[in-house]
Amino acid sequence: MSIVNSIETVREWLGSTVCPMVQLKLPDDSATDASYPYKLVNPTAFSLFVPSKDRLPPKVPAPIPSVCVQIVEGTDSLTMSSRSIKIRLCFSAWDPGYHGRDIFKPKNDGSGAYVQWQNEEAAAFFEKNGEGWRDAWNFVDTALRMIENAEYIGPLRVMKEDGITFGPVSEQDAVPDFYPYWFAWVEFAVEEILTRTPKDYQHLL
């Protein structure tokens, strides 16, 4: 399998397995208050970079929320005929604070159930805060759970023996403030069989 195919395999797996399990706010930087037209969407999985708004694929509403598949490094073991690739997933979310529809209230019927707050009061409610980081990290938690439970991503074996690392996006060991955008990352390794046919021997095969 080529490096390109490996990247696309991970991206497609995220798009079909992880992203459908998550719903996050669709960004609207002109409405970071109660005027926000509340809308939740599934994140999009991208390869190598997150495109700008004018370069989005069809049917993708926004660059964020998303997860981007990147390669940190790769190693070909020629004696073992295997390739290992360290993958970095970059997660992004947008959330300026609590909107009314973010809040669930007791149903008050003795069932113990909660229902989404939806009325005129809820539509006018907004509390600006720095709690949006929870969206990014809930996204990360979902991805971690799926990766940790997977033995293979397509033909790629998840190298559980190498563990998984994760953290916030940082600059010079400090976590920058990109409010209302929130970012995090996950790194793990995959392995695949490396097939090489020496040119000098091809006529004998």
Side-chain angles (χ1 to χ4, degrees):
M1 179 181 286
S2 70
I3 296 171
V4 171
N5 284 338
S6 297
I7 296 171
E8 290 296 276
T9 295
V10 177
R11 181 191 62 79
E12 290 171 2
W13 180 82
L14 289 167
S16 63
T17 305
V18 177
C19 292
M21 299 180 66
V22 179
Q23 284 198 320
L24 298 170
K25 291 178 182 177
L26 181 67
D28 187 341
D29 289 328
S30 64
T32 56
D33 51 25
S35 66
Y36 172 65
Y38 195 91
K39 184 176 182 180
L40 300 180
V41 295
N42 298 116
T44 303
F46 295 110
S47 298
L48 291 188
F49 70 97
V50 177
S52 57
K53 291 181 180 180
D54 60 337
R55 297 182 180 179
L56 288 171
K59 298 183 180 180
V60 175
I64 293 174
S66 64
V67 54
C68 183
V69 182
Q70 299 179 338
I71 284 186
V72 178
E73 62 181 4
T75 302
D76 284 353
S77 176
L78 303 182
T79 57
M80 300 297 293
S81 296
S82 66
R83 166 178 288 166
S84 62
I85 302 174
K86 181 176 285 188
I87 299 289
R88 169 173 279 219
L89 305 180
C90 299
F91 298 82
S92 59
W94 177 93
D95 193 342
Y98 293 147
H99 293 90
R101 290 176 62 181
D102 290 328
I103 299 172
F104 285 75
K105 296 193 172 187
K107 201 171 181 180
N108 295 326
D109 61 356
S111 65
Y114 285 74
V115 293
Q116 190 178 39
W117 188 24
Q118 294 193 59
N119 55 29
E120 290 185 6
E121 185 182 359
F125 179 87
F126 175 72
E127 179 183 305
K128 182 177 180 179
N129 57 42
E131 298 298 312
W133 61 269
R134 299 175 187 273
D135 286 4
W137 283 100
N138 283 331
F139 191 5
V140 168
D141 272 332
T142 300
L144 284 174
R145 185 170 66 252
M146 299 302 293
I147 296 168
E148 290 165 358
N149 287 333
E151 296 295 332
Y152 284 85
I153 296 176
L156 305 173
R157 183 181 72 86
V158 178
M159 299 178 68
K160 296 187 176 183
E161 64 272 22
D162 287 359
I164 302 176
T165 56
F166 49 87
V169 170
S170 61
E171 294 180 356
Q172 297 180 346
D173 297 326
V175 178
D177 181 7
F178 294 119
Y179 173 90
Y181 292 89
W182 311 93
F183 303 92
W185 57 267
V186 166
E187 285 187 6
F188 66 102
V190 294
E191 182 183 52
E192 61 179 302
I193 296 173
L194 181 64
T195 303
R196 291 285 189 261
T197 304
K199 186 176 181 180
D200 292 343
Y201 302 120
Q202 282 186 347
H203 67 286
L204 300 175
L205 300 179

